[in-house]
Structures are given as structure tokens and as C-alpha cells.
Amino acid sequence: MRFEVLTIFPNIIKAYLSEGILKRAIERGVFEVDIINIRDFTTDKHRQVDDYPYGGGAGMVMKPEPIFRAMDHLKRDGKKRYVLLLSPSGRVFNQALAEEYAERFECLTLISGRYEGVDERVKTIVDDEVSIGDYVLTGGELPALVIIDAVARLLPGTVGDMMSVSEESFTSGILEYPQYTRPAEFRGLKVPEVLLSGNHEEIRRWRRKEALRKTLNRRPDLLEKIKLSDEDLRLIQEIREEENGPDQSSRRDISEGDT
Ligand code: ADE
């Protein structure tokens, strides 16, 4: 797979991709990243990429011409590409979109805007507008890197153990169970006994229960989107009883007939 990033800050993109798992995956040829400096596609003496907004108002707007020219340059290869504009008003990126991009596209082109925005006409040459969350950043470089990271780690060969990709939060639809490593006791804090037991079935059940507990407490909305098994429903009942005491609805009301 190939990612193309259009930016006026190529070093931000380079820096992140020159460390760790993504660097090694690029070296192994799992995917490639072409960084295109939008400023290289200006034609004026000052290499100007932004200008004042028509109608007035604060801030600067990125000019359309350098971005169109950079895209024309890329399109000369005649290859298919899916073009995203990073913007806080785009649709919100999530794991399902990361999976879709990893499966469907040979080339993903990411246009990172800066300043107060990008000239609206740029939207005529993009396939979708994507936001990484409901907050405003100073530019689209971090969002482009977030998307590259989330998509690239799904490509076979990026992450060593594909199990760690398929078992994790959001792939299964619920949050991840708590993880521990050695030592078994640290400053009086003990690793749960069951994890030291070697009983794989007990460990599996404990992990599922704790993943459900975390999801129930932090992100109950996620539980509405997945199909819960009979075991899940039993575990949730156990969690509720542990946290609130026995379910009142299943107990006979003392006032009901004992008098
Ligand atoms: N540019 C600025 N903020 C952004 C966000 N939250 N997502 C995508 N692009 C952005």
C-alpha cells in the first residue's frame, strides 16, 4: 500500500515515520509513504501557500492552486487513489474506517490543511473529508499521521503478531482486558491470582469479564453495538451484582407477603 501526504511541513511526517514499528515496516516494504511539499507547487516568488479570506475575518486560508497542482502532478501516474482532506468538519475517523481503507485502497492520499482552513474548491478534488475527533488542531499533519498509523498497522507484516491486532479493543468491539507483566507483586500491588494459575479457561473467562466490566463502566455505548453471547450476559449480571449488590428485580420483595 502507498500513502501520499500533501503538507507544508514534510518534516513533521518524516519524523514520526523514522522511528519504531512503522519505520521497520517501511524498510521491509510493507507500505510506502510519499511526502509532497505543497510549497514546491507554488509558482510565485514568495512560494505563498496561503492568503487572506474573501469577505474578511481572522486568519489565513490555504490557496487552491498549489494543492491542485500537486494533485495533478501525482495523478500523472494514472493510478487509482482515494483522496482524503483532513478537517475538523469531516466525518469522524474510527477503527471501522481504518479497516475499510486498509482493505479497499492501494493508495491513500492525505491532504493536510493548515491555518484557518483550505479554500472550499479543494473539496472538488477529494473523495472524503475526515476528522480525527471533535477538537481543533493547528493543522492536518497529526491527523494524517493518526490515519496512516491506524491503517498501516492493519497491513499484514506491520505488526509482528497479527493476534495482537485482532484481539484488541475496537476490533472486538469492546475495550481491552487489563494486562500485567512481572513482577507478580510490586509495591504491594498484586497481579490477580487467576493470571498466575495457568488455568487457560479461567484466564479466558476472567479476561472477558474484566473487558466487559471496563466497557460497562467507561463506554456502555459500545455494548449496544455488538452481539453479546450468553456467557457475556451472565458475566455482565455477575459484574452488576459485584458492583451494586444483588439485582433487586430478581429478589422477592420482603414486604410482599411475609407479613
Ligand atoms: N485539522 C484540525 N483539526 C483537525 C481534526 N480534529 N481532524 C482532522 N483535521 C484537523
Side-chain angles (χ1 to χ4, degrees):
M1 181 163 183
R2 186 169 77 255
F3 298 92
E4 296 169 336
V5 187
L6 280 72
T7 172
I8 56 166
F9 294 118
N11 289 338
I12 297 178
I13 309 296
K14 262 183 227 151
Y16 186 72
L17 299 173
S18 61
E19 302 276 357
I21 290 177
L22 297 189
K23 176 194 179 184
R24 288 196 295 277
I26 291 168
E27 283 168 357
R28 284 199 301 272
V30 177
F31 65 96
E32 55 182 297
V33 183
D34 289 343
I35 305 170
I36 295 97
N37 188 343
I38 294 169
R39 207 177 289 281
D40 291 343
F41 293 89
T42 53
T43 49
D44 62 307
K45 192 168 88 199
H46 301 290
R47 294 172 38 99
Q48 194 181 340
V49 289
D50 61 328
D51 209 336
Y52 295 99
Y54 272 121
M60 302 292 270
V61 176
M62 285 187 74
K63 292 164 67 63
E65 308 97 303
I67 297 175
F68 272 71
R69 294 182 74 243
M71 284 304 302
D72 289 345
H73 174 79
L74 291 173
K75 285 181 188 161
R76 287 178 322 168
D77 67 7
K79 293 198 176 142
K80 266 200 162 161
R81 47 177 48 76
Y82 193 74
V83 184
L84 297 182
L85 175 66
L86 285 322
S87 144
S89 44
R91 70 161 152 159
V92 180
F93 186 66
N94 60 18
Q95 189 67 24
L97 270 183
E99 283 165 18
E100 185 185 329
Y101 295 164
E103 266 166 40
R104 274 182 58 196
F105 306 125
E106 229 356 88
C107 176
L108 196 60
T109 305
L110 302 144
I111 304 177
S112 300
R114 277 264 144 184
Y115 309 112
E116 266 42 53
V118 173
D119 187 287
E120 189 70 14
R121 288 164 289 188
V122 168
K123 292 174 192 169
T124 62
I125 54 166
V126 309
D127 295 302
D128 205 358
E129 260 184 270
V130 175
S131 161
I132 60 159
D134 291 338
Y135 39 82
V136 182
L137 302 167
T138 55
E141 283 72 21
L142 285 175
L145 286 169
V146 165
I147 291 174
I148 292 173
D149 193 301
V151 175
R153 66 187 288 289
L154 297 175
L155 302 173
T158 297
V159 176
D161 175 7
M162 280 308 274
M163 271 300 277
S164 64
V165 172
S166 63
E167 252 189 26
E168 72 207 347
S169 298
F170 296 111
T171 302
S172 67
I174 65 172
L175 302 184
E176 251 184 301
Y177 51 77
Q179 294 273 25
Y180 295 86
T181 186
R182 287 187 288 184
E185 185 173 345
F186 170 67
R187 297 193 178 180
L189 302 168
K190 289 184 179 157
V191 172
E193 204 68 47
V194 58
L195 297 178
L196 313 176
S197 69
N199 184 331
H200 296 298
E201 174 52 21
E202 290 260 305
I203 292 171
R204 185 201 60 75
R205 190 175 187 281
W206 181 87
R207 284 181 164 167
R208 185 71 190 171
K209 185 171 174 181
E210 295 313 309
L212 287 166
R213 189 194 305 277
K214 202 192 274 186
T215 312
L216 209 54
N217 288 333
R218 296 185 192 169
R219 294 291 307 276
D221 57 301
L222 294 177
L223 293 176
E224 280 157 32
K225 296 182 196 144
I226 62 160
K227 190 160 164 31
L228 296 165
S229 67
D230 289 346
E231 182 189 48
D232 289 339
L233 295 172
R234 278 196 303 277
L235 292 171
I236 288 172
Q237 183 62 27
E238 281 180 30
I239 295 163
R240 290 219 162 101
E241 288 181 9
E242 282 163 22
E243 301 198 354
N244 310 322
D247 180 358
Q248 300 302 313
S249 66
S250 65
R251 288 169 80 203
R252 207 166 131 248
D253 195 325
I254 306 162
S255 64
E256 242 175 40
D258 287 336
T259 47

